[in-house]
């Protein structure tokens, strides 16, 4: 598993990289967002450990959003010195896999969190791919397919259902069976 550590302080970056390598992780580092974007464009990265100094001017958030936008599908674990619960929740709500506090989270916890983030990401990708395959199958069935919710409202309606019942999907969705 290949991890990108984004950490401005060279000494801190080298220390965390060395510790993560003990857990069998292949680690590279970037000291700036710009350098991280270059690494992301040229290497296959499985997860990002992003140290964010959250400053009043919002530069930490800007760094997170820039990396998230340029690394779709790659889980990001935020690593910060801030012990602000609301801040951590904001990052997670905005797409971070987790938010760890520097000096509190040990190397074992960081490595495990990164591994879990990659596994969760793979499960989500597999689930999304399975759902897409199922949609293709349902749309191309020779039988009418109608899906209902618990209140018997139509939630899906395939092409064959349109032909069989004479209603378009747009007309059928949201109607009671």
């Amino acid at each position: 598993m290949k991890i990108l550590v984004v950490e401005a302080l060279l000494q801190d970056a080298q220390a965390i990289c060395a510790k993560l390598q003990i857990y069998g992780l292949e680690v590279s580092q970037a000291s700036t967002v710009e350098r991280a974007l270059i690494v992301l464009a040229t290497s296959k990265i499985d997860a990002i450990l992003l140290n964010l100094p959250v400053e009043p001017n919002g530069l930490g958030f800007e760094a997170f959003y820039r990396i998230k936008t340029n690394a779709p599908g790659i889980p990001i674990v935020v690593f910060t010195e801030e012990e602000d619960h609301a801040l951590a929740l904001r990052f997670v709500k905005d797409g971070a896999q987790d938010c760890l506090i520097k000096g509190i989270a040990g190397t074992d916890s960081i490595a495990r969190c990164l591994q879990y983030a990659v596994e969760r990401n793979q499960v989500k990708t597999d689930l999304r791919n399975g759902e897409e395959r199922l949609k293709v199958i349902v749309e191309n069935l020779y039988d009418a397919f109608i899906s209902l919710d618990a209140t018997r409202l139509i939630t899906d309606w395939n092409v064959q259902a349109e032909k069989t019942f004479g209603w378009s999907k747009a007309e059928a969705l949201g109607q009671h069976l």
Side-chain angles (χ1 to χ4, degrees), residues 3-8 28-41 43 45-53 58-79 91 94-97 114:
I3 306 299
L4 173 60
V5 175
V6 182
E7 167 64 65
S28 56
Q29 78 161 93
S31 58
T32 64
V33 172
E34 289 72 25
R35 180 70 188 129
L37 296 177
I38 292 168
V39 172
L40 289 164
S43 304
I45 300 294
D46 296 308
I48 301 165
L49 181 64
L50 179 60
N51 179 27
L52 290 177
L59 290 177
F61 288 109
E62 181 184 322
F64 170 74
Y65 296 120
R66 281 187 64 204
I67 289 178
K68 182 178 176 279
T69 300
N70 287 282
I74 299 175
I76 300 172
V77 174
V78 174
F79 196 43
F91 280 117
D94 287 350
Q97 285 283 329
L114 289 164

Side-chain angles (χ1 to χ4, degrees), residues 15-32:
I16 191 68
C17 289
K19 290 176 182 176
L20 291 175
Q21 287 171 340
I22 293 169
Y23 290 87
L25 302 174
E26 186 180 336
V27 186
S28 56
Q29 78 161 93
S31 58
T32 64

Side-chain angles (χ1 to χ4, degrees), residues 118-162:
V118 171
E119 289 298 320
R120 276 192 305 270
N121 193 54
Q122 185 60 50
V123 167
K124 279 183 8 186
T125 299
D126 291 347
L127 183 60
R128 197 170 29 252
N129 290 342
E131 289 172 351
E132 289 172 11
R133 264 183 270 141
L134 183 59
K135 282 183 181 182
V136 169
I137 291 168
V138 167
E139 273 307 310
N140 292 297
L141 285 174
Y142 290 116
D143 296 322
F145 175 84
I146 303 168
S147 176
L148 308 172
D149 68 9
T151 62
R152 298 182 54 124
L153 291 177
I154 298 171
T155 59
D156 202 1
W157 183 272
N158 73 355
V159 173
Q160 192 59 41
E162 288 181 343

